[in-house]
């Protein structure tokens, strides 16, 4: 298990280096481009298999205990260690990352985005996977920062070189926002390490902030929280996200929404909640206020985009919906209760599955129609996907109702638990304030349902295809292979939430108790 976790994190880097080498003559297939794309599918498939074996070998009776750990001294002068491990909080995110990266590699094998050589594309995809997996597996603050930053350059190039219209400006906006946030976050991480005398996240969590004064905790939460909030993204630090999603290629949008946004919220749970609880308690009401503002803002932006005549881009609409959905995650974290934090972690996974599927579907629509403009997709009588491409229309409707939180699907449980957590926040937090936040968040669920149902009505419904109009292709075999796992897991998580909550709850209880359980 120890070796397997290290191989899972390092394997994509080795695969990225191999992708840049010439393919052996016997493995070239029809062309070198096909060979390197097949290499990407193979490497990500092996990493997914390793993540599944890790999950199967994980001791589910002790999900609060760090497992498959590696702890090696790296920089003795600073007491920085190569410390890896997984528990019930990080394991689901590790498997989600491996799954989405594999599905993106599989999709790209058949539908490579237009741009430069596939060699660079596959190498960047694998570096991105390695950085993300490392973020969820490392247990040292310095290593966490390095892994956190490692994903920025690959995502920048994926947007800038393989994106659509406006890709250069979107890529620069993405990198500037996240780098500026990261500089501030680094100062906060160094402050904690210097004041506590260690960068070890497990030791710091067990200490529960007792070695840090309240002023140090408040300063650290402010600095680290700003960096994490940019990546989440929290309103009003979200403005890079719609541009990045709109310009990114389909697989870039899937990974950005499904994996990269989770790194920010994971940092709140793994670092700030256990290590600086007093600082978090000071800022929790403000975090909750920004969270519910993001829920309402994201929903209103989506309602504005979905109006007829607004020329709204469907990819941009889903990006704004992510601002709202991640607001529920932040609200759950801000409650500082097991119920709320479990809801946040569940909503993280649900958002990765459902929004990843939505971006895949919008990418397929854009490939078929040549645009993601809602007015063009709807046309005079509606695009009527139900009549023209019934499987594609059904999948879009399924993803929409999963995203709006229909009971029985994955999107429901995380948002409900986050609202329940706000109903009874942690001791020391103002209950009237959090009841207000809960009411605003609940109203946001109604707005979410409104705009997503409008999307289904405009894009999926309408009259039959007019005579002479070119038909569009329904779901292809490779699309079915890439999307089916997301559909199945969305249903499974919705019908059997105990699978995920059974992993996260003991680990959350231990984190909030300062490692004493």
């Amino acid at each position: 298990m120890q070796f397997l976790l290290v191989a899972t994190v390092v394997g994509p880097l080795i695969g990225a280096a191999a992708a840049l080498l010439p393919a052996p003559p016997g493995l070239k297939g029809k062309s070198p481009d096909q060979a390197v794309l097949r290499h990407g599918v193979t490497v990500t498939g092996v990493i997914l298999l390793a993540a599944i074996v890790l999950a199967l070998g994980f001791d589910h009776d002790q999900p609060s205990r760090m497992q498959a750990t590696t702890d090696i001294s790296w920089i003795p002068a600073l007491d920085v260690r190569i410390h890896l491990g997984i528990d019930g909080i990080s394991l689901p995110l590790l498997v989600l990352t491996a799954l989405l990266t594999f599905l993106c590699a599989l999709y790209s094998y058949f539908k490579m985005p237009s741009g430069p050589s596939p060699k660079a594309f596959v190498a960047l995809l694998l570096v991105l996977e390695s950085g993300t997996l490392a973020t969820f597996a490392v247990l040292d603050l310095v290593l966490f920062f390095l892994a956190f930053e490692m994903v920025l350059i690959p995502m920048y190039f994926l947007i800038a070189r393989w994106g659509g219209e406006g890709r250069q400006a979107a890529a620069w906006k993405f990198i500037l926002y996240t780098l500026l946030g990261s500089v501030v976050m680094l100062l906060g991480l160094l402050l904690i390490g210097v004041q506590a005398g260690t960068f070890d996240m497990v030791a710091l969590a067990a200490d529960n902030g007792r070695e840090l004064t309240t002023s140090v905790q408040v300063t650290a939460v402010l600095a680290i929280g700003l960096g994490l909030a940019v990546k989440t993204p929290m309103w009003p630090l979200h403005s890079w996200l719609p541009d990045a999603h709109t310009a990114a290629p389909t697989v870039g949008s899937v990974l950005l929404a499904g994996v990269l946004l989770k790194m920010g919220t994971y940092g709140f749970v793994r670092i700030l909640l256990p290590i600086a609880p007093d600082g978090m308690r000071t800022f929790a009401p403000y975090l909750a206020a920004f969270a519910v503002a993001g829920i309402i803002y994201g929903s209103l932006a989506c309602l504005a985009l979905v109006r007829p005549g607004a020329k709204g881009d469907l990819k941009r609409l889903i990006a704004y919906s992510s601002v709202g959905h991640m607001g529920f995650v932040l609200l759950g974290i801000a409650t500082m209760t097991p119920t709320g934090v479990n809801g946040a972690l569940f909503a993280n996974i649900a958002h990765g599955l459902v929004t990843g599927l939505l971006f895949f579907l919008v990418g397929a629509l854009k490939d078929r129609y040549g645009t993601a403009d809602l007015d063009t997709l709807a046309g005079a009588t509606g695009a009527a996907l139900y009549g023209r491409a019934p499987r594609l229309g059904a999948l879009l409707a399924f993803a929409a109702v999963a995203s709006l939180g229909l009971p029985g699907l994955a999107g429901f449980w995380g948002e409900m638990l986050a609202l329940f957590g706000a109903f009874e926040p942690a001791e020391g937090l103002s209950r009237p304030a959090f009841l207000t936040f809960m009411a605003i968040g609940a109203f946001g669920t109604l707005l979410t349902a409104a705009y997503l149902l409008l999307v289904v009505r405009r894009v999926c419904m309408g009259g039959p295809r007019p005579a002479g109009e070119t038909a569009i292709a329904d779901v292809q075999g490779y699309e079915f292979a890439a999307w089916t796992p997301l559909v199945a897991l969305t249903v499974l998580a919705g019908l059997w939430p105990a699978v995920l909550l059974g992993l996260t709850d003991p680990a959350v209880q231990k984190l909030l108790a300062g490692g004493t359980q």
Side-chain angles (χ1 to χ4, degrees):
M1 289 284 286
Q2 178 186 16
F3 171 77
L4 200 57
L5 180 59
V6 174
T8 302
V9 172
V10 177
L13 280 181
I14 300 172
L20 298 175
L21 300 175
L27 297 177
K28 283 186 178 179
K30 295 179 181 177
S31 69
D33 287 353
Q34 186 193 50
V36 75
L37 291 170
R38 186 171 59 244
H39 170 79
V41 175
T42 303
V43 173
T44 55
V46 170
I47 298 302
L48 174 59
L49 183 62
I52 292 172
V53 173
L54 271 174
L56 293 174
F58 187 80
D59 186 352
H60 291 261
D61 293 329
Q62 300 185 67
S64 62
R65 181 175 64 86
M66 282 295 171
Q67 301 180 34
T69 55
T70 298
D71 191 1
I72 303 169
S73 179
W74 184 35
I75 308 176
L78 299 176
D79 194 28
V80 176
R81 309 184 68 80
I82 299 176
H83 193 182
L84 305 178
I86 51 172
D87 63 358
I89 293 172
S90 51
L91 178 62
L93 290 166
L94 202 78
V95 175
L96 176 68
T97 300
L99 173 65
L100 285 177
T101 311
F102 170 70
L103 296 180
C104 286
L106 180 65
Y107 187 86
S108 299
Y109 179 78
F110 294 96
K111 193 69 179 179
M112 172 69 194
S114 57
S117 162
K119 274 194 174 186
F121 176 84
V122 170
L124 290 169
L125 193 70
L126 292 172
V127 172
L128 182 69
E129 180 181 30
S130 181
T132 313
L133 291 170
T135 302
F136 299 136
V138 298
L139 297 172
D140 183 278
L141 291 180
V142 175
L143 281 184
F144 176 85
F145 177 78
L146 295 176
F148 198 85
E149 296 303 289
M150 183 176 166
V151 304
L152 300 185
I153 300 303
M155 182 53 72
Y156 167 81
F157 281 110
L158 286 175
I159 297 171
R161 302 300 299 274
W162 286 272
E165 186 179 352
R167 60 184 182 270
Q168 293 291 345
W172 273 110
K173 199 171 184 179
F174 162 76
I175 200 77
L176 288 175
Y177 263 76
T178 48
L179 277 178
L180 289 173
S182 297
V183 169
V184 181
M185 184 176 75
L186 176 60
L187 297 177
L189 294 173
L190 292 175
L191 175 64
I192 287 178
V194 169
Q195 292 293 319
T198 180
F199 290 100
D200 188 272
M201 291 158 66
V202 175
L204 288 166
D207 183 69
N208 204 218
R210 285 181 284 270
E211 290 293 322
L212 303 174
T213 65
T214 301
S215 60
V216 167
Q217 289 191 37
V218 168
T219 305
V221 169
L222 180 61
I224 298 170
L226 279 173
L228 297 174
V230 170
K231 184 65 73 73
T232 299
M234 180 185 77
W235 180 91
L237 304 173
H238 68 283
S239 61
W240 62 269
L241 184 69
D243 292 340
H245 270 309
T246 305
T250 296
V251 294
S253 292
V254 171
L255 292 175
L256 184 59
V259 177
L260 263 69
L261 302 191
K262 312 302 174 283
M263 295 165 63
T265 51
Y266 175 78
F268 276 104
V269 175
R270 177 64 73 195
I271 298 174
L272 295 185
L273 277 178
I275 295 175
D278 294 337
M280 272 298 291
R281 199 169 287 108
T282 300
F283 283 106
Y286 303 101
L287 180 62
F290 284 124
V292 296
I295 293 170
I296 300 300
Y297 172 84
S299 299
L300 292 177
C302 291
L303 283 170
L305 288 170
V306 81
R307 285 186 300 108
K311 292 293 181 183
D313 187 284
L314 189 51
K315 284 188 75 176
R316 196 173 190 85
L317 183 145
I318 297 170
Y320 274 111
S321 80
S322 292
V323 176
H325 288 303
M326 298 310 289
F328 282 101
V329 177
L330 291 172
L331 176 61
I333 293 170
T335 68
M336 299 184 69
T337 63
T339 302
V341 177
N342 276 304
L345 294 171
F346 198 103
N348 251 348
I349 300 298
H351 180 265
L353 295 172
V354 176
T355 308
L357 177 60
L358 276 169
F359 276 117
F360 268 134
L361 293 167
V362 176
L365 278 175
K366 192 169 184 179
D367 290 337
R368 287 158 169 79
Y369 283 95
T371 180
D373 178 73
L374 272 164
D375 289 333
T376 304
L377 291 177
T381 59
L385 278 180
Y386 290 152
R388 295 170 180 167
R391 294 181 183 86
L392 188 58
L395 281 170
L396 181 62
F398 170 84
V401 296
S403 184
L404 64 83
L406 184 73
L409 297 176
F412 172 72
W413 296 106
E415 295 181 4
M416 185 193 71
L417 289 172
L419 294 175
F420 276 0
F423 182 76
E424 194 70 57
E427 185 179 349
L429 300 179
S430 170
R431 190 173 183 224
F434 273 84
L435 286 174
T436 304
F437 299 144
M438 182 191 75
I440 297 172
F443 178 65
T445 63
L446 300 178
L447 295 178
T448 302
Y451 71 74
L452 285 168
L453 290 175
L454 283 171
V455 168
V456 173
R457 179 186 174 187
R458 294 197 67 202
V459 178
C460 295
M461 299 180 181
R465 179 166 61 91
E469 184 178 305
T470 304
I472 66 168
D474 208 341
V475 178
Q476 305 294 299
Y478 70 93
E479 293 172 329
F480 184 80
W483 303 342
T484 299
L486 301 179
V487 173
L489 289 172
T490 298
V491 175
L492 176 64
L495 295 178
W496 198 8
V499 173
L500 188 54
L501 293 174
L503 280 173
T504 62
D505 185 53
V508 168
Q509 297 274 3
K510 182 177 180 179
L511 272 187
L512 294 178
T516 58
Q517 293 187 353

